[in-house]
Amino acid sequence: MSSAPLAARLTRANGPLFFPVTAYGPDGALDLDAFRAHVRSGVEAGAAAVFACCGTGEFHALTPEEFRDCVAAAVQETAGRVPVVAGAGYGTALAIRYAKLAEDAGADGILAMPPYLVVADQEGLLRHYTALAAATALDVIVYQRDNAVFTPETVVELAAVDGIIGLKDGYGDLDLMQRIVSAVRTTAAGSEAPGRDFLYFNGLPTAELTGLAYRGIGITLYSSAVFCFAPEIALAFHRALTTGDDATVERLLDGFYRPLVELRARRNGYAVSLVKAAVRLRGQDVGEVRPPLSEPTADHIKELADIVERGYALLADGAAE
């Protein structure tokens, strides 16, 4: 854990946010050595932060003990070079337990997943995340998706809660997000309210595909699953998006990201299992996904390999211009 505030470190992020997969051995057990190598390679490649044991890291499939060991390993491998944020979820009591495990393991923050199963009203969601933030010294980023979708008024209240520093959007309603950003900004204007520095993240699967749209409403931070297996492509896209290199952005969107997203949409669960297969294709043996997720078909893995190869060819073509 670093002594620097998480929000400040993420605000200065100059690269994609890395969501490593969780590595398992042939017997399905946690493989910490492979996980460490995966995290280390991402940090060395230029990740701006490590989000361990989150959606791509199969948080849902980990025991509390495995979760603790993975977060501790990520903290040790990053050695303070970049912040480590850990997932936490389920009901309020379990979310607090996972947050405390992450805190003990040395994490810098929490990505608060949606509550398990229930569809709560806005008041209940606010109580849940307020209780989680009050129970940990770690900064909390709230993850909007599935059964945790917020009104602008609720996000204004969340932004005023001590310890809640941001909202990651995995829902994808740009109209809603624009209204949220506007409401928090308007409420915080001219005051010392925490909301004035509230952070927003594009957390859609393969977030690069919607990067231009989110940037249009001022949201520049995003998670990159592609960084797990093709960091050079992810970094090139991030650099092009940041500098306004539209030609590179469009070339990678058209030739790499859109085909990848179309393949990802073929089956449920591919947002994780396809990423893990791609990590293996690129030479890191991180094992297969755990049930209830399933492995991609052989035909889809072949298609995935072709897409990744095409992405690297596009990088080479761009460098030669």
Side-chain angles (χ1 to χ4, degrees), residues 168-174 177 201-224 226 237 241 249 252-254 257-258 261 264:
K168 180 185 179 186
D169 179 49
Y171 186 58
D173 184 335
L174 286 173
M177 282 307 298
F201 305 78
N202 175 0
L204 289 173
T206 319
E208 287 91 344
L209 193 72
T210 52
L212 287 168
Y214 274 81
R215 185 168 288 270
I217 59 174
I219 299 175
T220 58
L221 294 167
Y222 63 86
S223 54
S224 177
V226 167
F237 183 88
L241 189 64
V249 167
L252 291 174
L253 282 176
D254 296 346
Y257 283 103
R258 180 174 57 82
V261 168
R264 190 200 70 213

Side-chain angles (χ1 to χ4, degrees), residues 9-130:
R9 299 182 76 188
L10 291 174
T11 300
R12 297 192 299 267
N14 58 359
L17 306 178
F18 176 33
F19 284 65
V21 301
T22 298
Y24 308 126
D27 61 352
L30 187 66
D31 187 339
L32 277 178
D33 288 339
F35 177 72
R36 286 176 178 277
H38 181 49
V39 171
R40 184 165 60 250
S41 67
V43 174
E44 291 173 351
V50 172
F51 282 67
C53 305
C54 296
T56 308
E58 297 179 79
F59 170 78
H60 68 276
L62 299 174
T63 68
E65 294 76 19
E66 290 173 327
F67 170 87
R68 177 200 60 212
D69 292 346
C70 278
V71 175
V75 170
Q76 291 165 5
E77 287 300 328
T78 59
R81 289 174 287 176
V82 298
V84 174
V85 178
Y90 305 117
T92 306
L94 276 176
I96 289 172
R97 180 182 178 190
Y98 277 95
K100 290 186 179 297
L101 288 171
E103 189 173 341
D104 291 344
D108 297 283
I110 290 296
L111 178 62
M113 307 287 194
Y116 172 70
L117 192 61
V118 297
V119 179
D121 61 15
Q122 296 294 298
E123 180 183 355
L125 290 170
L126 183 61
R127 289 177 58 204
H128 171 75
Y129 293 106
T130 299

